[in-house]
Amino acid sequence: MGVEARELIMSERRVTGLSAAVIADLVAELGPVWQARRDAELADRPRRRAVGAGAKYKLVFVDRLLATLVHLRHAVTHDILACWFGVDRSTITRAIGEIRPLLADRGCRIEGGLRLRTLADVIAHLGATGQTALMDATEIRVRRPSAHRGGRSRFISGKSRINAMKALVLTDERGQLLFCGEVRAGSVADITQARDAGLVDLLADTIDLQILADAGYQGLAAQTYGQVVTPPRKRRGKHLEHLQWLMAHHEAALFAYSSARIPVEHGIAHLKNWRALARHHTRRDNLPDTIRAAAGLLTDQQATQHTKALALHTAKT
């Protein structure tokens, strides 16, 4: 790809979903890591000639990163990217397979430039800052396993009736992503996914930490000593007047709870703007890395926008 085309992709945010500043930071951060891994792979096997001899890369690291970003943002097929970058399809497939894990390992960025990579990091951050978190699960449609393979029913979601996989999502009270991962098959219940992720054990070491969740997580409140909060339940009254008052009180409480929990839905909606997560067409094994990579890139862009807005507000005042 020529220099002009590369600059055009980096300057147009609609192509990658990221500003030029964020992409430049990614190149500076991931370039040395990618090169170190390549050198280690080349030096780890018997060789007849020195490292660096032979044919050179047709796709440099910057183009590999840009191809991966375009694929995640718009779910562009590898064939189209190969035509766009002037290489073979296998080169694009190999490039995305190398860059996507690097993006996934970065985790979600929060204020101060810190990164939360695991659920344990998130719980420790919430316990140290005293923030309230919002928790939910999001489903991503995937291809159905072949007929001759077993376990086809594992991916059928009982809620949406589609073949899907689901990811556990935690955000802060503003909808800023803190964690996105622990991907499970669509047939797994939300509460089972949270338990398998070790949430109950992690909350056993915290005090007065609150995580707002929907009705799918009822039962975790007792296991976490009330640290996981679920919607208020209905109460029954014996008399009509008492029943009407209870129903009105329940509706008001449910509305207030939903209003407090709605930012996590907004955070998931922003995450689904990365079209690779609207419907996953490639191998299901790659979906966990795709989800974590998109979440990390989204938080990078949001952190950059927040920094610019804060600087502009400071300049005006």
Side-chain angles (χ1 to χ4, degrees):
M1 174 174 287
V3 177
E4 295 181 357
R6 186 182 301 123
E7 292 179 352
L8 178 61
I9 294 177
M10 295 182 64
S11 62
E12 183 56 63
R13 181 181 165 185
R14 291 178 297 178
V15 179
T16 61
L18 304 174
S19 62
V22 175
I23 296 178
D25 292 339
L26 288 174
V27 173
E29 177 186 355
L30 299 181
V33 179
W34 175 81
Q35 188 61 49
R37 290 191 179 185
R38 292 296 301 161
D39 294 342
E41 291 176 0
L42 294 175
D44 190 45
R45 60 191 182 192
R47 303 186 59 85
R48 292 186 177 182
R49 51 187 177 182
V51 176
K56 305 301 179 183
Y57 288 121
K58 293 183 179 179
L59 200 65
V60 297
F61 172 76
V62 177
D63 292 342
R64 291 170 182 262
L65 176 62
L66 293 178
T68 305
L69 294 178
V70 174
H71 171 70
L72 293 175
R73 183 65 177 180
H74 298 287
V76 179
T77 62
H78 295 185
D79 290 324
I80 294 178
L81 289 174
C83 296
W84 196 0
F85 285 85
V87 295
D88 294 334
R89 181 186 183 277
S90 59
T91 303
I92 294 295
T93 302
R94 186 165 52 252
I96 294 177
E98 293 173 356
I99 302 301
R100 180 170 47 201
L102 296 180
L103 295 173
D105 292 341
R106 300 170 65 245
C108 293
R109 181 179 175 182
I110 59 175
E111 296 180 1
L114 299 177
R115 292 194 174 276
L116 306 177
R117 294 177 172 83
T118 64
L119 187 59
D121 294 341
V122 176
I123 299 302
H125 169 71
L126 294 174
T129 58
Q131 298 183 26
T132 298
L134 313 176
M135 181 172 63
D136 203 351
T138 180
E139 293 184 346
I140 299 169
R141 190 170 184 175
V142 297
R143 288 179 175 178
R144 188 177 184 181
S146 302
H148 63 278
R149 295 186 178 182
R152 300 181 75 192
S153 60
R154 291 194 308 113
F155 296 94
I156 300 179
S157 170
K159 179 173 61 176
S160 57
R161 301 296 180 183
I162 61 174
N163 292 277
M165 297 183 72
K166 61 174 58 178
L168 181 66
V169 179
L170 274 83
T171 70
D172 61 13
E173 295 177 293
R174 300 174 300 171
Q176 180 76 24
L177 282 176
L178 301 177
F179 177 79
C180 187
E182 297 295 338
V183 181
R184 297 291 186 270
S187 61
V188 177
D190 294 353
I191 189 171
T192 303
Q193 181 187 31
R195 287 169 176 163
D196 292 344
L199 181 63
V200 176
D201 296 334
L202 292 173
L203 291 178
D205 299 329
T206 60
I207 301 176
D208 295 335
L209 190 155
Q210 277 197 342
I211 299 179
L212 305 185
D214 60 13
Y217 296 95
Q218 287 182 355
L220 285 182
Q223 290 182 294
T224 60
Y225 302 99
Q227 294 184 95
V228 175
V229 184
T230 54
R233 296 185 178 184
K234 291 183 178 180
R235 296 183 179 180
R236 299 181 180 273
K238 295 182 180 180
H239 303 288
L240 180 61
E241 295 181 356
H242 190 205
L243 178 61
Q244 292 177 346
W245 181 87
L246 284 177
M247 292 178 60
H249 179 74
H250 173 74
E251 291 180 358
L254 192 62
F255 180 81
Y257 184 84
S258 300
S259 299
R261 210 189 64 83
I262 197 63
V264 69
E265 304 290 351
H266 296 162
I268 293 175
H270 289 306
L271 184 63
K272 292 294 183 70
N273 285 333
W274 295 80
R275 303 305 297 173
L277 301 182
R279 180 173 180 176
H280 195 67
H281 294 277
T282 57
R283 293 175 58 90
R284 290 182 297 275
D285 298 341
N286 298 330
L287 184 57
D289 283 348
T290 300
I291 293 175
R292 292 188 293 131
L297 294 172
L298 174 61
T299 55
D300 286 339
Q301 184 60 41
Q302 290 176 340
T304 302
Q305 292 176 343
H306 178 72
T307 302
K308 288 184 178 180
L310 184 60
L312 182 60
H313 177 72
T314 304
K316 288 183 179 180
T317 55

